Amino acid sequence: MPVLYDRLLKLKEMFNSKFGSIPKFYVRAPGRVNLIGEHVDYCGYSVLPMAVEQDLLIAVEPVKTCTLQLANTNPLYPDFSTSATTIQIDKTKPLWHNYFLCGLKGIQEHFGLSNLTGMNCLVDGNIPPSSGLSSSSALVCCAGLVTLTVLGMNLSKVELAEICAKSERYIGTEGGGMDQSISFLAEEGTAKLIEFSPLRATNVNLPSGAVFVIANSCVEMNKAATSHFNIRVMECRLAAKLLAKYKSLQWDKVLQLEEVQAKLGISLEEMLLVTEDALHPEPYSPEEICRCLGITLEELRTQILSPNTHDVLIFKLYQRAKHVYSEAARVLQFKKICEEAPENTVQLLGELMNQSHMSCRDMYECSCPELDQLVDICRKFGAEGSRLTGAGWGGCTVSIVAVDNLTSFLANVHKAYYQRIDGSLAPEKHSLFATKPGGGALVFLEA
């Protein structure tokens, strides 16, 4: 906490020099690392993340005018000012301030408010951006909590998480809710199994003989700036509909792969067998999907696909469903191993993480050469398991490493990946650190 207190004091000084006044309160929201369960939350399945110690802080002063002024301690992110009464979010440009506006608009709409008070806000963060550690969702959550506090309203952490998950979609990302949930529901010292519909979080105690190490590939990927992420969401939605049709369910009401399993009342392992029978490994064209479902191309575009996936020509439904059902099973196995704590816990968890990376790479195709190389290096130098974490296509890996091996592991990975002969990785982007489960979002009244 002393480090956080120092940051708050520094933020107070910077706020004063920027706005000529003192903040009334501060809000903190953490980043997160997902230990296992990639790309399954928006399919209705549980995930197993923990909050990291890196976070976002916002210093806030409500003002009498209707102007919202946003500033950032990082000069890469320019100041932004707008009227608090007309919030416009431009989906075509995932600029930093739009994530703040998402959180603000979510709270505004939840309470049905037409007018919001103005405020001055200064944002400070130490989560590496576009790294898969959820810096953007932390900003949405921070903004939601800022707005709630300014209004003097109360909501539970679960309600806040659900509102922020929904409101991040204003930026065009069809996410599932893991990032916002762990940001609010995290507790120091424990990972969480997060389940959806209804949203709930259960403590998962991690093995004491191991640590989780995050390594940044230094390839940036902004979910809202690329179509990769939303295409995967639609492929899963289409796979769910084709599986439902194959099993004579009311497919037009089905949106998530989990719904198909729930309606059939069978295990994840059995769902993998149904997938083998119902879907073919060759990619589907929009025309073939229409034939399978008995709909027109126009109906596919307007009733099923999101606007930013209208022009996609191929959909890999078999591969995406196989990943989701197998990954959902790995999440439950991971939790079970942590609970039972056999002697070889670390090795077993590592195997699940390795399987997860393989599935992300081969079936979900959300890895990239740098992530694969980094995972290989981490395993070579003693990680029991290593995988990409976050959406993928760049960002970070997470590895499980025996405590006794940590010092040599960090030194060797640093040398093998970051100290490249061609010096192609800028030193300030290096991010290699062991992390412990951190706490969730908070409001501070004094600094």
Side-chain angles (χ1 to χ4, degrees), residues 36 319 323 326-327 330 350-367 372 375-376 379 386-388:
I36 199 149
Q319 290 84 348
H323 166 76
S326 64
E327 185 79 347
R330 282 187 283 273
E351 283 168 13
L352 289 174
M353 291 171 73
N354 290 338
Q355 289 167 20
S356 172
H357 184 77
M358 221 163 19
S359 184
C360 285
R361 183 190 66 203
D362 301 337
M363 302 305 277
Y364 221 71
E365 296 176 280
C366 61
S367 190
D372 294 338
V375 160
D376 288 344
R379 288 179 193 157
S386 188
R387 58 181 291 276
L388 66 83

PDB file of all heavy atoms in Angstrom, residues 36 319 323 326-327 330 350-367 372 375-376 379 386-388:
ATOM      1  N   ILE A  36      -6.814 -19.519 -16.829  1.00  0.00           N
ATOM      2  CA  ILE A  36      -7.309 -20.504 -17.801  1.00  0.00           C
ATOM      3  C   ILE A  36      -8.766 -20.174 -18.122  1.00  0.00           C
ATOM      4  O   ILE A  36      -9.481 -19.606 -17.297  1.00  0.00           O
ATOM      5  CB  ILE A  36      -7.151 -21.948 -17.284  1.00  0.00           C
ATOM      6  CG1 ILE A  36      -7.219 -22.956 -18.448  1.00  0.00           C
ATOM      7  CG2 ILE A  36      -8.153 -22.286 -16.191  1.00  0.00           C
ATOM      8  CD1 ILE A  36      -6.385 -24.198 -18.238  1.00  0.00           C
ATOM      9  N   GLN A 319     -13.835 -25.826 -35.438  1.00  0.00           N
ATOM     10  CA  GLN A 319     -12.640 -25.538 -34.630  1.00  0.00           C
ATOM     11  C   GLN A 319     -12.986 -24.686 -33.412  1.00  0.00           C
ATOM     12  O   GLN A 319     -12.491 -24.917 -32.305  1.00  0.00           O
ATOM     13  CB  GLN A 319     -11.589 -24.800 -35.483  1.00  0.00           C
ATOM     14  CG  GLN A 319     -10.939 -25.665 -36.551  1.00  0.00           C
ATOM     15  CD  GLN A 319     -11.753 -25.750 -37.837  1.00  0.00           C
ATOM     16  OE1 GLN A 319     -12.916 -25.356 -37.885  1.00  0.00           O
ATOM     17  NE2 GLN A 319     -11.146 -26.287 -38.878  1.00  0.00           N
ATOM     18  N   HIS A 323     -12.690 -25.829 -29.412  1.00  0.00           N
ATOM     19  CA  HIS A 323     -11.889 -25.100 -28.430  1.00  0.00           C
ATOM     20  C   HIS A 323     -12.733 -24.753 -27.206  1.00  0.00           C
ATOM     21  O   HIS A 323     -12.301 -24.983 -26.070  1.00  0.00           O
ATOM     22  CB  HIS A 323     -11.308 -23.802 -29.009  1.00  0.00           C
ATOM     23  CG  HIS A 323     -10.786 -22.881 -27.945  1.00  0.00           C
ATOM     24  ND1 HIS A 323      -9.590 -23.104 -27.300  1.00  0.00           N
ATOM     25  CD2 HIS A 323     -11.337 -21.781 -27.347  1.00  0.00           C
ATOM     26  CE1 HIS A 323      -9.413 -22.175 -26.367  1.00  0.00           C
ATOM     27  NE2 HIS A 323     -10.463 -21.363 -26.375  1.00  0.00           N
ATOM     28  N   SER A 326     -13.712 -27.787 -24.956  1.00  0.00           N
ATOM     29  CA  SER A 326     -12.549 -28.381 -24.268  1.00  0.00           C
ATOM     30  C   SER A 326     -11.957 -27.413 -23.249  1.00  0.00           C
ATOM     31  O   SER A 326     -11.548 -27.808 -22.162  1.00  0.00           O
ATOM     32  CB  SER A 326     -11.479 -28.827 -25.288  1.00  0.00           C
ATOM     33  OG  SER A 326     -10.953 -27.714 -25.990  1.00  0.00           O
ATOM     34  N   GLU A 327     -11.947 -26.117 -23.571  1.00  0.00           N
ATOM     35  CA  GLU A 327     -11.402 -25.102 -22.656  1.00  0.00           C
ATOM     36  C   GLU A 327     -12.301 -24.956 -21.423  1.00  0.00           C
ATOM     37  O   GLU A 327     -11.812 -24.801 -20.300  1.00  0.00           O
ATOM     38  CB  GLU A 327     -11.260 -23.761 -23.391  1.00  0.00           C
ATOM     39  CG  GLU A 327     -10.590 -22.666 -22.589  1.00  0.00           C
ATOM     40  CD  GLU A 327      -9.067 -22.752 -22.506  1.00  0.00           C
ATOM     41  OE1 GLU A 327      -8.494 -23.799 -22.868  1.00  0.00           O
ATOM     42  OE2 GLU A 327      -8.440 -21.775 -22.055  1.00  0.00           O
ATOM     43  N   ARG A 330     -11.396 -27.618 -19.153  1.00  0.00           N
ATOM     44  CA  ARG A 330     -10.098 -27.372 -18.486  1.00  0.00           C
ATOM     45  C   ARG A 330     -10.251 -26.427 -17.296  1.00  0.00           C
ATOM     46  O   ARG A 330      -9.559 -26.581 -16.292  1.00  0.00           O
ATOM     47  CB  ARG A 330      -9.078 -26.805 -19.490  1.00  0.00           C
ATOM     48  CG  ARG A 330      -8.483 -27.855 -20.411  1.00  0.00           C
ATOM     49  CD  ARG A 330      -7.367 -27.298 -21.271  1.00  0.00           C
ATOM     50  NE  ARG A 330      -7.853 -26.517 -22.382  1.00  0.00           N
ATOM     51  CZ  ARG A 330      -8.186 -27.009 -23.575  1.00  0.00           C
ATOM     52  NH1 ARG A 330      -8.105 -28.311 -23.796  1.00  0.00           N
ATOM     53  NH2 ARG A 330      -8.615 -26.217 -24.546  1.00  0.00           N
ATOM     54  N   GLY A 350       0.056 -27.055 -14.863  1.00  0.00           N
ATOM     55  CA  GLY A 350       0.902 -26.710 -16.015  1.00  0.00           C
ATOM     56  C   GLY A 350       0.467 -27.433 -17.280  1.00  0.00           C
ATOM     57  O   GLY A 350       0.414 -26.840 -18.371  1.00  0.00           O
ATOM     58  N   GLU A 351       0.111 -28.700 -17.137  1.00  0.00           N
ATOM     59  CA  GLU A 351      -0.350 -29.480 -18.312  1.00  0.00           C
ATOM     60  C   GLU A 351      -1.634 -28.877 -18.888  1.00  0.00           C
ATOM     61  O   GLU A 351      -1.789 -28.771 -20.110  1.00  0.00           O
ATOM     62  CB  GLU A 351      -0.582 -30.940 -17.920  1.00  0.00           C
ATOM     63  CG  GLU A 351       0.707 -31.735 -17.790  1.00  0.00           C
ATOM     64  CD  GLU A 351       0.505 -33.100 -17.125  1.00  0.00           C
ATOM     65  OE1 GLU A 351      -0.659 -33.540 -16.984  1.00  0.00           O
ATOM     66  OE2 GLU A 351       1.526 -33.722 -16.750  1.00  0.00           O
ATOM     67  N   LEU A 352      -2.547 -28.473 -18.008  1.00  0.00           N
ATOM     68  CA  LEU A 352      -3.792 -27.849 -18.482  1.00  0.00           C
ATOM     69  C   LEU A 352      -3.507 -26.534 -19.212  1.00  0.00           C
ATOM     70  O   LEU A 352      -4.109 -26.233 -20.252  1.00  0.00           O
ATOM     71  CB  LEU A 352      -4.746 -27.587 -17.314  1.00  0.00           C
ATOM     72  CG  LEU A 352      -5.403 -28.815 -16.681  1.00  0.00           C
ATOM     73  CD1 LEU A 352      -6.194 -28.406 -15.436  1.00  0.00           C
ATOM     74  CD2 LEU A 352      -6.334 -29.524 -17.673  1.00  0.00           C
ATOM     75  N   MET A 353      -2.562 -25.747 -18.686  1.00  0.00           N
ATOM     76  CA  MET A 353      -2.202 -24.481 -19.333  1.00  0.00           C
ATOM     77  C   MET A 353      -1.568 -24.729 -20.703  1.00  0.00           C
ATOM     78  O   MET A 353      -1.846 -24.006 -21.663  1.00  0.00           O
ATOM     79  CB  MET A 353      -1.262 -23.678 -18.424  1.00  0.00           C
ATOM     80  CG  MET A 353      -1.974 -23.153 -17.171  1.00  0.00           C
ATOM     81  SD  MET A 353      -0.847 -22.440 -15.950  1.00  0.00           S
ATOM     82  CE  MET A 353      -0.403 -20.895 -16.763  1.00  0.00           C
ATOM     83  N   ASN A 354      -0.740 -25.765 -20.794  1.00  0.00           N
ATOM     84  CA  ASN A 354      -0.128 -26.102 -22.088  1.00  0.00           C
ATOM     85  C   ASN A 354      -1.189 -26.536 -23.103  1.00  0.00           C
ATOM     86  O   ASN A 354      -1.152 -26.137 -24.271  1.00  0.00           O
ATOM     87  CB  ASN A 354       0.909 -27.219 -21.911  1.00  0.00           C
ATOM     88  CG  ASN A 354       2.153 -26.740 -21.174  1.00  0.00           C
ATOM     89  OD1 ASN A 354       2.438 -25.536 -21.141  1.00  0.00           O
ATOM     90  ND2 ASN A 354       2.902 -27.657 -20.579  1.00  0.00           N
ATOM     91  N   GLN A 355      -2.138 -27.361 -22.640  1.00  0.00           N
ATOM     92  CA  GLN A 355      -3.227 -27.794 -23.532  1.00  0.00           C
ATOM     93  C   GLN A 355      -4.045 -26.584 -24.005  1.00  0.00           C
ATOM     94  O   GLN A 355      -4.451 -26.503 -25.165  1.00  0.00           O
ATOM     95  CB  GLN A 355      -4.154 -28.769 -22.806  1.00  0.00           C
ATOM     96  CG  GLN A 355      -3.565 -30.138 -22.534  1.00  0.00           C
ATOM     97  CD  GLN A 355      -4.418 -30.922 -21.532  1.00  0.00           C
ATOM     98  OE1 GLN A 355      -5.593 -30.631 -21.329  1.00  0.00           O
ATOM     99  NE2 GLN A 355      -3.823 -31.914 -20.898  1.00  0.00           N
ATOM    100  N   SER A 356      -4.268 -25.658 -23.079  1.00  0.00           N
ATOM    101  CA  SER A 356      -5.031 -24.452 -23.407  1.00  0.00           C
ATOM    102  C   SER A 356      -4.330 -23.652 -24.505  1.00  0.00           C
ATOM    103  O   SER A 356      -4.965 -23.199 -25.464  1.00  0.00           O
ATOM    104  CB  SER A 356      -5.195 -23.585 -22.153  1.00  0.00           C
ATOM    105  OG  SER A 356      -5.757 -22.340 -22.486  1.00  0.00           O
ATOM    106  N   HIS A 357      -3.009 -23.489 -24.371  1.00  0.00           N
ATOM    107  CA  HIS A 357      -2.292 -22.721 -25.391  1.00  0.00           C
ATOM    108  C   HIS A 357      -2.368 -23.419 -26.750  1.00  0.00           C
ATOM    109  O   HIS A 357      -2.574 -22.757 -27.779  1.00  0.00           O
ATOM    110  CB  HIS A 357      -0.829 -22.481 -25.019  1.00  0.00           C
ATOM    111  CG  HIS A 357      -0.146 -21.596 -26.038  1.00  0.00           C
ATOM    112  ND1 HIS A 357      -0.343 -20.234 -26.065  1.00  0.00           N
ATOM    113  CD2 HIS A 357       0.651 -21.886 -27.106  1.00  0.00           C
ATOM    114  CE1 HIS A 357       0.325 -19.726 -27.105  1.00  0.00           C
ATOM    115  NE2 HIS A 357       0.933 -20.707 -27.737  1.00  0.00           N
ATOM    116  N   MET A 358      -2.221 -24.733 -26.739  1.00  0.00           N
ATOM    117  CA  MET A 358      -2.279 -25.486 -27.988  1.00  0.00           C
ATOM    118  C   MET A 358      -3.629 -25.286 -28.683  1.00  0.00           C
ATOM    119  O   MET A 358      -3.713 -25.089 -29.893  1.00  0.00           O
ATOM    120  CB  MET A 358      -2.062 -26.976 -27.703  1.00  0.00           C
ATOM    121  CG  MET A 358      -1.175 -27.616 -28.723  1.00  0.00           C
ATOM    122  SD  MET A 358      -0.478 -29.209 -28.229  1.00  0.00           S
ATOM    123  CE  MET A 358      -1.454 -29.829 -26.917  1.00  0.00           C
ATOM    124  N   SER A 359      -4.689 -25.322 -27.886  1.00  0.00           N
ATOM    125  CA  SER A 359      -6.038 -25.145 -28.434  1.00  0.00           C
ATOM    126  C   SER A 359      -6.244 -23.715 -28.945  1.00  0.00           C
ATOM    127  O   SER A 359      -6.825 -23.508 -30.014  1.00  0.00           O
ATOM    128  CB  SER A 359      -7.074 -25.503 -27.369  1.00  0.00           C
ATOM    129  OG  SER A 359      -8.370 -25.429 -27.900  1.00  0.00           O
ATOM    130  N   CYS A 360      -5.747 -22.730 -28.177  1.00  0.00           N
ATOM    131  CA  CYS A 360      -5.836 -21.328 -28.629  1.00  0.00           C
ATOM    132  C   CYS A 360      -5.080 -21.133 -29.946  1.00  0.00           C
ATOM    133  O   CYS A 360      -5.540 -20.416 -30.836  1.00  0.00           O
ATOM    134  CB  CYS A 360      -5.257 -20.386 -27.571  1.00  0.00           C
ATOM    135  SG  CYS A 360      -6.333 -20.138 -26.147  1.00  0.00           S
ATOM    136  N   ARG A 361      -3.940 -21.773 -30.044  1.00  0.00           N
ATOM    137  CA  ARG A 361      -3.082 -21.630 -31.238  1.00  0.00           C
ATOM    138  C   ARG A 361      -3.687 -22.339 -32.452  1.00  0.00           C
ATOM    139  O   ARG A 361      -3.778 -21.773 -33.544  1.00  0.00           O
ATOM    140  CB  ARG A 361      -1.698 -22.217 -30.926  1.00  0.00           C
ATOM    141  CG  ARG A 361      -0.668 -22.080 -32.042  1.00  0.00           C
ATOM    142  CD  ARG A 361       0.560 -22.911 -31.715  1.00  0.00           C
ATOM    143  NE  ARG A 361       0.244 -24.342 -31.705  1.00  0.00           N
ATOM    144  CZ  ARG A 361       0.952 -25.267 -31.046  1.00  0.00           C
ATOM    145  NH1 ARG A 361       1.999 -24.908 -30.318  1.00  0.00           N
ATOM    146  NH2 ARG A 361       0.608 -26.540 -31.108  1.00  0.00           N
ATOM    147  N   ASP A 362      -4.103 -23.601 -32.262  1.00  0.00           N
ATOM    148  CA  ASP A 362      -4.486 -24.433 -33.410  1.00  0.00           C
ATOM    149  C   ASP A 362      -5.980 -24.403 -33.729  1.00  0.00           C
ATOM    150  O   ASP A 362      -6.363 -24.420 -34.895  1.00  0.00           O
ATOM    151  CB  ASP A 362      -4.067 -25.889 -33.162  1.00  0.00           C
ATOM    152  CG  ASP A 362      -2.566 -26.014 -32.935  1.00  0.00           C
ATOM    153  OD1 ASP A 362      -1.821 -25.127 -33.388  1.00  0.00           O
ATOM    154  OD2 ASP A 362      -2.142 -26.992 -32.274  1.00  0.00           O
ATOM    155  N   MET A 363      -6.822 -24.373 -32.698  1.00  0.00           N
ATOM    156  CA  MET A 363      -8.269 -24.444 -32.932  1.00  0.00           C
ATOM    157  C   MET A 363      -8.931 -23.062 -32.958  1.00  0.00           C
ATOM    158  O   MET A 363      -9.841 -22.818 -33.723  1.00  0.00           O
ATOM    159  CB  MET A 363      -8.953 -25.318 -31.868  1.00  0.00           C
ATOM    160  CG  MET A 363      -8.420 -26.734 -31.807  1.00  0.00           C
ATOM    161  SD  MET A 363      -8.471 -27.596 -33.407  1.00  0.00           S
ATOM    162  CE  MET A 363     -10.170 -28.151 -33.421  1.00  0.00           C
ATOM    163  N   TYR A 364      -8.461 -22.174 -32.098  1.00  0.00           N
ATOM    164  CA  TYR A 364      -9.081 -20.840 -32.047  1.00  0.00           C
ATOM    165  C   TYR A 364      -8.304 -19.818 -32.874  1.00  0.00           C
ATOM    166  O   TYR A 364      -8.802 -18.739 -33.161  1.00  0.00           O
ATOM    167  CB  TYR A 364      -9.224 -20.366 -30.597  1.00  0.00           C
ATOM    168  CG  TYR A 364     -10.550 -19.675 -30.363  1.00  0.00           C
ATOM    169  CD1 TYR A 364     -11.739 -20.405 -30.343  1.00  0.00           C
ATOM    170  CD2 TYR A 364     -10.634 -18.301 -30.182  1.00  0.00           C
ATOM    171  CE1 TYR A 364     -12.962 -19.785 -30.145  1.00  0.00           C
ATOM    172  CE2 TYR A 364     -11.848 -17.666 -29.984  1.00  0.00           C
ATOM    173  CZ  TYR A 364     -13.011 -18.412 -29.968  1.00  0.00           C
ATOM    174  OH  TYR A 364     -14.230 -17.793 -29.777  1.00  0.00           O
ATOM    175  N   GLU A 365      -7.045 -20.176 -33.195  1.00  0.00           N
ATOM    176  CA  GLU A 365      -6.177 -19.333 -34.026  1.00  0.00           C
ATOM    177  C   GLU A 365      -6.123 -17.890 -33.512  1.00  0.00           C
ATOM    178  O   GLU A 365      -6.308 -16.935 -34.258  1.00  0.00           O
ATOM    179  CB  GLU A 365      -6.631 -19.372 -35.492  1.00  0.00           C
ATOM    180  CG  GLU A 365      -6.495 -20.756 -36.103  1.00  0.00           C
ATOM    181  CD  GLU A 365      -7.023 -20.831 -37.524  1.00  0.00           C
ATOM    182  OE1 GLU A 365      -8.253 -20.930 -37.713  1.00  0.00           O
ATOM    183  OE2 GLU A 365      -6.189 -20.800 -38.451  1.00  0.00           O
ATOM    184  N   CYS A 366      -5.849 -17.769 -32.192  1.00  0.00           N
ATOM    185  CA  CYS A 366      -5.752 -16.425 -31.617  1.00  0.00           C
ATOM    186  C   CYS A 366      -4.355 -16.164 -31.050  1.00  0.00           C
ATOM    187  O   CYS A 366      -4.168 -15.247 -30.259  1.00  0.00           O
ATOM    188  CB  CYS A 366      -6.820 -16.209 -30.547  1.00  0.00           C
ATOM    189  SG  CYS A 366      -6.725 -17.330 -29.140  1.00  0.00           S
ATOM    190  N   SER A 367      -3.394 -16.982 -31.456  1.00  0.00           N
ATOM    191  CA  SER A 367      -2.013 -16.730 -31.034  1.00  0.00           C
ATOM    192  C   SER A 367      -1.306 -15.941 -32.129  1.00  0.00           C
ATOM    193  O   SER A 367      -1.933 -15.439 -33.064  1.00  0.00           O
ATOM    194  CB  SER A 367      -1.300 -18.059 -30.743  1.00  0.00           C
ATOM    195  OG  SER A 367      -0.052 -17.796 -30.123  1.00  0.00           O
ATOM    196  N   ASP A 372       3.885 -17.634 -29.457  1.00  0.00           N
ATOM    197  CA  ASP A 372       4.310 -19.049 -29.501  1.00  0.00           C
ATOM    198  C   ASP A 372       5.777 -19.184 -29.112  1.00  0.00           C
ATOM    199  O   ASP A 372       6.166 -20.089 -28.369  1.00  0.00           O
ATOM    200  CB  ASP A 372       4.080 -19.640 -30.900  1.00  0.00           C
ATOM    201  CG  ASP A 372       2.604 -19.727 -31.262  1.00  0.00           C
ATOM    202  OD1 ASP A 372       1.767 -19.745 -30.342  1.00  0.00           O
ATOM    203  OD2 ASP A 372       2.289 -19.758 -32.465  1.00  0.00           O
ATOM    204  N   VAL A 375       6.104 -18.582 -25.313  1.00  0.00           N
ATOM    205  CA  VAL A 375       5.626 -19.768 -24.584  1.00  0.00           C
ATOM    206  C   VAL A 375       6.701 -20.864 -24.609  1.00  0.00           C
ATOM    207  O   VAL A 375       7.004 -21.483 -23.585  1.00  0.00           O
ATOM    208  CB  VAL A 375       4.290 -20.273 -25.198  1.00  0.00           C
ATOM    209  CG1 VAL A 375       4.004 -21.719 -24.823  1.00  0.00           C
ATOM    210  CG2 VAL A 375       3.137 -19.379 -24.738  1.00  0.00           C
ATOM    211  N   ASP A 376       7.304 -21.086 -25.775  1.00  0.00           N
ATOM    212  CA  ASP A 376       8.366 -22.112 -25.897  1.00  0.00           C
ATOM    213  C   ASP A 376       9.560 -21.779 -25.005  1.00  0.00           C
ATOM    214  O   ASP A 376      10.126 -22.651 -24.343  1.00  0.00           O
ATOM    215  CB  ASP A 376       8.826 -22.237 -27.356  1.00  0.00           C
ATOM    216  CG  ASP A 376       7.781 -22.909 -28.246  1.00  0.00           C
ATOM    217  OD1 ASP A 376       6.854 -23.540 -27.688  1.00  0.00           O
ATOM    218  OD2 ASP A 376       7.872 -22.780 -29.486  1.00  0.00           O
ATOM    219  N   ARG A 379       8.717 -22.431 -21.322  1.00  0.00           N
ATOM    220  CA  ARG A 379       8.737 -23.867 -21.000  1.00  0.00           C
ATOM    221  C   ARG A 379      10.175 -24.385 -20.960  1.00  0.00           C
ATOM    222  O   ARG A 379      10.535 -25.180 -20.092  1.00  0.00           O
ATOM    223  CB  ARG A 379       7.921 -24.650 -22.037  1.00  0.00           C
ATOM    224  CG  ARG A 379       6.420 -24.420 -21.904  1.00  0.00           C
ATOM    225  CD  ARG A 379       5.665 -25.197 -22.957  1.00  0.00           C
ATOM    226  NE  ARG A 379       4.276 -24.758 -23.029  1.00  0.00           N
ATOM    227  CZ  ARG A 379       3.498 -24.909 -24.087  1.00  0.00           C
ATOM    228  NH1 ARG A 379       3.970 -25.483 -25.189  1.00  0.00           N
ATOM    229  NH2 ARG A 379       2.249 -24.498 -24.071  1.00  0.00           N
ATOM    230  N   SER A 386       2.707 -22.927 -19.767  1.00  0.00           N
ATOM    231  CA  SER A 386       2.723 -21.551 -20.245  1.00  0.00           C
ATOM    232  C   SER A 386       1.680 -21.415 -21.351  1.00  0.00           C
ATOM    233  O   SER A 386       1.488 -22.324 -22.144  1.00  0.00           O
ATOM    234  CB  SER A 386       4.118 -21.199 -20.781  1.00  0.00           C
ATOM    235  OG  SER A 386       4.196 -19.824 -21.079  1.00  0.00           O
ATOM    236  N   ARG A 387       1.005 -20.268 -21.373  1.00  0.00           N
ATOM    237  CA  ARG A 387      -0.044 -20.061 -22.374  1.00  0.00           C
ATOM    238  C   ARG A 387      -0.243 -18.572 -22.616  1.00  0.00           C
ATOM    239  O   ARG A 387       0.159 -17.746 -21.795  1.00  0.00           O
ATOM    240  CB  ARG A 387      -1.366 -20.667 -21.897  1.00  0.00           C
ATOM    241  CG  ARG A 387      -1.856 -20.106 -20.581  1.00  0.00           C
ATOM    242  CD  ARG A 387      -3.154 -20.748 -20.124  1.00  0.00           C
ATOM    243  NE  ARG A 387      -4.258 -20.376 -20.974  1.00  0.00           N
ATOM    244  CZ  ARG A 387      -4.966 -19.251 -20.843  1.00  0.00           C
ATOM    245  NH1 ARG A 387      -4.697 -18.397 -19.871  1.00  0.00           N
ATOM    246  NH2 ARG A 387      -5.936 -18.971 -21.655  1.00  0.00           N
ATOM    247  N   LEU A 388      -0.865 -18.242 -23.757  1.00  0.00           N
ATOM    248  CA  LEU A 388      -1.260 -16.856 -23.961  1.00  0.00           C
ATOM    249  C   LEU A 388      -2.381 -16.532 -22.979  1.00  0.00           C
ATOM    250  O   LEU A 388      -3.107 -17.425 -22.535  1.00  0.00           O
ATOM    251  CB  LEU A 388      -1.709 -16.614 -25.403  1.00  0.00           C
ATOM    252  CG  LEU A 388      -2.984 -17.292 -25.927  1.00  0.00           C
ATOM    253  CD1 LEU A 388      -4.249 -16.541 -25.566  1.00  0.00           C
ATOM    254  CD2 LEU A 388      -2.920 -17.433 -27.439  1.00  0.00           C
TER     255      LEU A 388
END
